């Protein structure tokens, strides 16, 4: 493989790897937030199930249960999107590495 091609691919791989790092950090933040809201949602659900008073149940559902449920759903969707982004950008890195390895193997064969 010619040096300028190898350098260009190496720079591109570095750029994509940096994007992957940003995506990974965002993924971890969303994952932590999802854990928090999952606990809040489940605790609220348990409290509602243990409460007899309909008015209090309605208030708890309006104040906590429904908003937490919506937040959990939103965060789960964000996790799915981030996982897909990670997968796609990792494919770029893998393909670049594969091309470089394949081309390096060819150059050794042609020398022999």
């Amino acid at each position: 493989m010619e040096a300028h091609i190898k350098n260009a691919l190496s720079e591109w791989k570095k750029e994509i790897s940096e994007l992957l790092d940003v995506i990974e950090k965002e993924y971890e933040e969303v994952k932590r937030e999802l854990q928090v809201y999952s606990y809040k949602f489940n605790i609220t659900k348990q409290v509602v199930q243990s409460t007899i008073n309909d008015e209090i149940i309605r208030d708890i559902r309006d104040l906590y249960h429904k908003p937490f449920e919506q937040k959990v759903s939103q965060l789960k969707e964000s996790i799915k999107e981030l996982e897909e982004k990670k997968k796609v950008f990792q494919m770029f890195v893998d393909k670049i590495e594969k091309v470089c390895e394949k081309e390096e193997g060819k150059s050794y064969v042609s020398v022999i």
Side-chain angles (χ1 to χ4, degrees), residues 36-80:
V36 168
Y37 276 95
S38 291
Y39 274 97
K40 287 180 175 184
F41 174 72
N42 288 324
I43 289 168
T44 305
K45 185 176 179 181
Q46 291 171 5
V47 169
V48 165
Q49 289 173 347
S50 300
T51 304
I52 301 171
N53 186 314
D54 288 339
E55 185 179 332
I56 294 174
I57 290 172
R58 241 185 334 276
D59 290 344
I60 291 171
R61 283 189 174 145
D62 290 341
L63 287 172
Y64 301 111
H65 189 75
K66 289 178 185 175
F68 291 161
E69 184 176 34
Q70 290 171 346
K71 188 69 173 182
V72 165
S73 295
Q74 174 197 355
L75 292 168
K76 284 181 177 180
E77 188 61 35
S78 294
I79 288 284
K80 285 180 187 177

Side-chain angles (χ1 to χ4, degrees), residues 14-30 32 82-83 85-86 89:
K14 182 180 176 190
E15 179 184 319
I16 292 171
S17 294
E18 289 169 0
L19 286 172
L20 258 173
D21 289 343
V22 169
I23 293 168
E24 183 63 38
K25 286 176 185 172
E26 184 179 354
Y27 175 85
E28 290 302 320
E29 289 173 18
V30 172
R32 283 192 296 274
L82 290 166
E83 286 173 342
K85 280 184 181 180
K86 284 182 2 178
F89 284 101

Side-chain angles (χ1 to χ4, degrees), residues 82-95:
L82 290 166
E83 286 173 342
E84 183 66 21
K85 280 184 181 180
K86 284 182 2 178
K87 181 181 164 185
V88 168
F89 284 101
Q90 186 60 53
M91 278 193 288
F92 273 108
V93 171
D94 294 344
K95 296 289 182 185

